[in-house]
Amino acid sequence: AQKVTQAQTEISVVEKEDVTLDCVYETRDTTYYLFWYKQPPSGELVFLIRRNSFDEQNEISGRYSWNFQKSTSSFNFTITASQVVDSAVYFCALRSGNYGQNFVFGPGTRLSVLP
Amino acid sequence: GAVVSQHPSWVICKSGTSVKIECRSLDFQATTMFWYRQFPKQSLMLMATSNEGSKATYEQGVEKDKFLINHASLTLSTLTVTSAHPEDSSFYICSARDPTTGRNGYTFGSGTRLTVV
């Protein structure tokens, strides 16, 4: 079975603070993909990143960075110098490497960045 | 890039009526589409897998007679909520895979917020 856990239900930070959103996953697949999506109040899912199970390189994109560690089955997401516009619900998701498999989403973390 | 259009973006209907939600792949053909449901302040949960030209596959606990899925063409899947009740009020979102972009080319629609009064 596949499962994604995001232990932090809600996080509040003050603007310019750094914040890390945790994600722990479970899967028996040897090939899988990990994702982070942002869901603003309007509801659409905004794709942030995809990571393949065989690529443990960490990635940085502007103020966003991701730390993928297979040894601990974690795929954490850090926002540096947070901004009010970062306020949203963030979902970590897992998808099997087999064709046609659906996404398994974590419960989400609601991030509030206060001015 | 691949675009998935979902319509309507929001709908309010009376209890007992049916509502149809469309999910279209605009610039690619999708043999498989997924329908998810998201209750307020909860995560997205897979409802069913829509397969072009065949019956949809429903997840456990999802009533197939209530949530009718039709995938009659390679670019369109529809979800019809029949005899809607207030507890069906939710955010429905579809996803489709663009086969030309490899196994990771999944795109989500913008979602439909259904309110049943």
Side-chain angles (χ1 to χ4, degrees), chain B residues 25 28-33 52 71 73-76 96-99:
Chain B
S25 55
F28 65 99
Q29 295 183 329
T31 55
T32 302
M33 292 185 177
E52 187 270 335
H71 195 155
S73 77
L74 286 170
T75 59
L76 174 64
R97 175 181 171 271
D98 179 358

Side-chain angles (χ1 to χ4, degrees), chain B residues 2 30 81:
Chain B
V81 183

Side-chain angles (χ1 to χ4, degrees), chain A residues 5-12 19-23 36-39 86-92 106-112, chain B residues 43:
Chain A
T5 302
Q6 294 177 255
Q8 304 144 310
T9 305
E10 295 190 32
I11 300 177
S12 287
V19 59
T20 295
L21 310 182
D22 297 333
C23 173
W36 274 96
Y37 284 90
K38 175 182 179 180
Q39 187 178 44
D86 295 327
S87 297
V89 179
Y90 290 85
F91 290 99
C92 180
T109 297
R110 182 176 299 276
L111 174 65
S112 298
Chain B
S43 188

